[in-house]
Amino acid sequence: MNALLTKPWARIALVALVAGGAWWAFQKVYLGPRRLIEADIRTAQDAITRLKTQLSEERELTRRRAAVGAGLLGSELDIVSARFRDGLTRVGSTAGLDKVIVEHGQPVEVMSPVLDAKGVSVELKRALRRQPDFQVLRGSIRGTGTLEQAVAAIGMLQDQPWVHRIDAFSLRPIGKERDRFDLRVDVATIYAPALASKADQGAPQLTPASAEHESTWRAIASRNLFRAPTGGPGEAGPSVVIAAAPAEGQATPAPAPRAFAPYEDWRLAGVASGRGGLSALFVNLRTGDRLTVLRGGQVLDAVLVDGAGELAVVEIAGEKFDVSVGSTLAARKPKG
């Protein structure tokens, strides 16, 4: 054996054998376990990152749920009904309306919009059908007052956190002088016991109209848009009509073909933007009709697409035009 080790190739082989054994032992005892530990660490770090993301999303969802709950009138239907009526009555009284009448119906269930979405699993849709997302309590407020009082009431309703939607409104001048108006506003509030704040906050406090809404209704009231139609001072004026955009998923109805649309009959009286979105008020100079158009609604074949301040943007036959407050559709100017 000793004689064998004296040979150079034998010594080299022995060194290689020892080195190989040492490397195998190093891999087995150290590097292998280390790789497993590092893989476990990476897995744990990925799990921590996912949990942090989920917690962040959950906190944001909790914050949003709390914000929605703070704008609800309560978790019990009889309390919600009483507060809804009381709040609407106080809005009318604060605005100065006379003969205020408030009504509302029964809550209507609103199901999740995911039920109409494509690509959603049958199991998820089945679970969502078990209960509605929330319920909607619709009501109305009616009263009589000056134009300033009537539009002030609409402005106040827009800024109440518990009035979640204004569905429609109508203004009708009464009397020979047409200095007083019958007002009706249809509104809706959300009834969702699961989201309502746990703490009983009592009757809703009235929120003053914002500066933006106040400036809008004061501008409308100062322009005397509801002057008597040409039919004579003894006739009742026309009602305001709301022209809304088509519901999501429905095609915009094609306007009736006209050789020459009577654009000169319709004058832009005002542009407003608030919680309910963009709207523009048009007055028919020939008949006295008033038409409130929401974004996507139309007058003749002119579709309201944008607007701000004293300017509305309408689209006719695929081309956009600017219409200034006080001018008719016939005086529109090509945009840009």
Side-chain angles (χ1 to χ4, degrees):
M1 182 69 179
N2 292 333
L4 184 62
L5 292 177
T6 58
K7 297 184 180 297
W9 61 267
R11 290 197 297 269
I12 294 173
L14 180 61
V15 170
L17 181 62
V18 171
W23 177 250
W24 178 86
F26 180 71
Q27 289 273 9
K28 188 72 174 177
V29 176
Y30 178 74
L31 285 184
R34 177 179 176 177
R35 292 192 186 99
L36 293 176
I37 293 173
E38 288 177 343
D40 291 341
I41 291 174
R42 287 193 296 270
T43 301
Q45 288 175 337
D46 292 341
I48 291 173
T49 301
R50 288 194 301 270
L51 287 173
K52 286 182 177 179
T53 302
Q54 292 174 0
L55 288 173
S56 176
E57 293 174 351
E58 185 174 348
R59 284 193 293 268
E60 175 63 17
L61 180 60
T62 301
R63 185 193 66 79
R64 293 172 63 182
R65 285 170 60 94
V68 172
L72 301 181
L73 294 176
S75 58
E76 299 181 15
L77 181 57
D78 55 345
I79 294 177
V80 171
S81 299
R83 290 175 177 173
F84 192 37
R85 292 193 302 268
D86 179 64
L88 293 177
T89 300
R90 285 194 288 140
V91 167
S93 300
T94 302
L97 298 178
D98 297 327
K99 303 177 182 178
V100 175
I101 299 175
V102 171
E103 299 173 330
H104 72 77
Q106 293 297 316
V108 177
E109 294 183 348
V110 178
M111 304 303 292
S112 172
V114 178
L115 293 173
D116 298 325
K118 297 181 179 179
V120 179
S121 67
V122 176
E123 291 77 11
L124 178 57
K125 289 189 176 183
R126 185 181 297 115
L128 292 174
R129 287 193 182 96
R130 293 172 186 166
Q131 63 180 12
D133 272 5
F134 55 87
Q135 299 180 62
V136 173
L137 187 64
R138 289 187 169 86
S140 65
I141 174 174
R142 291 180 291 168
T144 303
T146 63
L147 178 59
E148 183 173 344
Q149 291 169 339
V151 293
I154 297 174
M156 288 186 65
L157 288 170
Q158 284 184 295
D159 286 305
Q160 302 312 307
W162 45 272
V163 176
H164 298 115
R165 177 167 176 167
I166 294 181
D167 291 323
F169 69 88
S170 66
L171 274 173
R172 187 177 185 86
I174 56 176
K176 293 183 179 180
E177 300 299 327
R178 287 176 174 72
D179 56 352
R180 296 186 66 78
F181 296 80
D182 279 337
L183 170 69
R184 177 190 173 100
V185 186
D186 296 329
V187 298
T189 189
I190 294 175
Y191 172 53
L195 294 179
S197 175
K198 299 296 184 181
D200 188 354
Q201 301 176 355
Q205 301 297 315
L206 291 188
T207 302
S210 64
E212 176 187 2
H213 288 156
E214 184 174 355
S215 63
T216 299
W217 64 253
R218 287 191 182 279
I220 294 174
S222 66
R223 287 195 175 99
N224 191 24
L225 303 175
F226 292 84
R227 66 179 184 274
T230 56
E235 297 182 5
S239 298
V240 174
V241 180
I242 303 298
E248 185 176 354
Q250 294 182 347
T252 303
R258 293 172 177 265
F260 299 99
Y263 298 122
E264 68 281 357
D265 289 348
W266 289 97
R267 183 188 66 175
L268 177 63
V271 179
S273 180
R275 288 176 58 195
L278 175 69
S279 63
L281 175 62
F282 288 88
V283 179
N284 190 296
L285 300 179
R286 182 172 55 84
T287 65
D289 289 337
R290 279 84 178 175
L291 184 67
T292 299
V293 181
L294 306 182
R295 189 192 300 270
Q298 60 188 69
V299 183
L300 302 177
D301 58 350
V303 180
L304 179 66
V305 295
D306 201 357
E310 300 290 308
L311 200 68
V313 180
V314 299
E315 183 174 325
I316 300 175
E319 186 176 356
K320 293 183 179 180
F321 299 88
D322 288 334
V323 183
S324 301
V325 171
S327 63
T328 66
L329 287 173
R332 65 190 184 278
K333 298 178 180 179
K335 186 169 181 62

XYZ file of all heavy atoms in Angstrom, residues 5 8 11 19 24 26 29 50 79 83 94 102 130 150 170 214 230 232 241 249 256 278 287 318 324:
190
model
N 1.354 4.230 -2.839
C 1.186 5.661 -2.636
C 2.389 6.459 -3.091
O 2.305 7.682 -3.223
C 0.912 5.945 -1.148
C -0.440 5.444 -0.617
C -0.564 5.712 0.876
C -1.583 6.111 -1.373
N 3.050 8.738 -8.370
C 2.357 10.041 -8.508
C 0.879 9.906 -8.843
O 0.039 10.617 -8.303
C 3.150 10.718 -9.635
C 4.485 10.067 -9.614
C 4.260 8.642 -9.198
N -1.177 9.103 -5.779
C -1.405 10.239 -4.873
C -2.471 11.184 -5.422
O -3.317 11.695 -4.704
C -0.062 10.969 -4.639
C 0.926 10.153 -3.799
C 2.033 11.059 -3.263
N 2.811 11.636 -4.351
C 3.916 11.042 -4.828
N 4.321 9.871 -4.354
N 4.604 11.623 -5.786
N -11.150 14.830 -2.091
C -11.843 16.078 -2.436
C -13.288 15.818 -2.844
O -14.221 16.542 -2.467
C -11.089 16.785 -3.559
N -19.058 16.065 -1.679
C -20.356 15.387 -1.512
C -20.910 15.635 -0.111
O -22.095 15.903 0.068
C -20.155 13.898 -1.753
C -21.425 13.112 -1.554
C -22.398 12.883 -2.457
C -21.832 12.464 -0.343
N -23.421 12.149 -1.916
C -23.090 11.873 -0.595
C -21.263 12.335 0.930
C -23.782 11.154 0.381
C -21.947 11.621 1.894
C -23.199 11.036 1.626
N -20.189 18.176 1.782
C -20.571 19.599 1.867
C -21.954 19.830 1.262
O -22.802 20.557 1.807
C -19.515 20.440 1.153
C -19.781 21.899 1.171
C -19.651 22.649 2.342
C -20.182 22.560 0.007
C -19.900 24.009 2.348
C -20.450 23.908 0.007
C -20.307 24.648 1.180
N -24.577 17.910 3.613
C -24.763 18.422 4.970
C -25.114 19.906 4.991
O -25.874 20.358 5.853
C -23.492 18.154 5.807
C -23.603 18.765 7.201
C -23.230 16.660 5.899
N -48.435 38.674 -0.198
C -49.843 38.496 -0.558
C -50.766 38.899 0.591
O -51.792 39.551 0.381
C -50.096 37.048 -0.966
C -49.508 36.653 -2.303
C -50.096 35.326 -2.797
N -49.844 34.240 -1.846
C -48.764 33.461 -1.884
N -47.832 33.671 -2.810
N -48.615 32.483 -1.011
N -87.341 53.166 11.084
C -86.521 54.341 11.411
C -86.046 55.032 10.141
O -86.077 56.269 10.024
C -85.321 53.928 12.284
C -85.822 53.437 13.643
C -84.351 55.090 12.458
C -84.712 52.944 14.554
N -86.925 58.896 9.087
C -85.851 59.868 8.863
C -85.852 60.367 7.421
O -85.521 61.530 7.165
C -84.501 59.226 9.203
C -84.314 58.989 10.694
C -83.027 58.245 11.000
N -82.846 58.096 12.445
C -81.880 57.378 13.006
N -81.004 56.735 12.242
N -81.786 57.302 14.317
N -86.656 74.399 4.835
C -85.472 75.250 4.864
C -85.354 76.083 3.592
O -84.919 77.246 3.634
C -84.203 74.394 5.046
O -84.318 73.628 6.250
C -82.966 75.269 5.121
N -94.502 65.008 1.351
C -93.462 63.999 1.161
C -94.114 62.625 1.123
O -94.967 62.314 1.954
C -92.412 64.060 2.290
C -91.461 62.873 2.207
C -91.634 65.361 2.212
N -78.667 34.687 -3.826
C -79.274 34.362 -2.536
C -79.782 35.595 -1.794
O -80.720 35.519 -1.012
C -78.263 33.612 -1.669
C -77.921 32.219 -2.207
C -76.778 31.595 -1.442
N -76.361 30.332 -2.048
C -75.222 29.713 -1.758
N -74.386 30.240 -0.861
N -74.910 28.570 -2.357
N -87.495 77.101 -5.257
C -87.609 75.777 -5.870
C -86.240 75.232 -6.272
O -85.899 74.086 -5.965
C -88.533 75.839 -7.083
N -89.609 68.163 -11.638
C -90.459 68.946 -12.532
C -90.774 70.280 -11.879
O -90.922 70.372 -10.658
C -91.759 68.192 -12.855
O -92.555 68.041 -11.693
N -74.933 76.302 -5.253
C -75.612 77.562 -4.959
C -75.441 78.557 -6.099
O -76.401 79.237 -6.498
C -75.083 78.160 -3.659
C -75.820 79.442 -3.249
C -75.400 79.952 -1.890
O -74.605 79.270 -1.214
O -75.866 81.039 -1.500
N -96.115 82.057 -25.470
C -96.826 82.997 -26.319
C -98.332 82.800 -26.321
O -99.057 83.591 -26.875
C -96.308 82.855 -27.766
O -96.470 81.479 -28.167
C -94.836 83.213 -27.833
N -100.446 83.228 -24.049
C -101.213 84.154 -23.248
C -100.925 83.978 -21.782
O -100.556 82.909 -21.320
N -89.109 68.578 -18.476
C -88.974 67.155 -18.793
C -87.504 66.789 -18.720
O -86.643 67.555 -19.134
C -89.530 66.847 -20.203
C -89.373 65.367 -20.512
C -90.984 67.270 -20.294
N -75.972 49.210 -21.854
C -76.269 48.006 -22.613
C -77.323 48.218 -23.681
O -77.512 47.375 -24.551
N -85.577 60.669 -35.216
C -86.427 60.660 -36.402
C -85.786 61.508 -37.498
O -85.247 62.579 -37.234
C -87.801 61.216 -36.049
N -73.557 65.593 -15.335
C -73.744 66.766 -16.183
C -75.185 66.863 -16.665
O -75.811 65.862 -16.994
C -72.807 66.668 -17.393
C -72.946 67.756 -18.468
C -72.478 69.095 -17.933
C -72.165 67.363 -19.715
N -92.637 77.079 -28.196
C -93.712 76.494 -27.383
C -93.568 76.785 -25.899
O -94.518 76.617 -25.137
C -93.735 74.967 -27.570
O -92.517 74.408 -27.063
C -93.887 74.605 -29.042
N -72.055 62.922 -35.746
C -70.668 62.568 -35.544
C -69.722 63.736 -35.377
O -68.528 63.532 -35.173
N -73.220 78.085 -26.517
C -73.106 78.972 -25.366
C -74.466 79.180 -24.714
O -75.504 79.145 -25.388
C -72.524 80.331 -25.791
O -71.250 80.171 -26.385
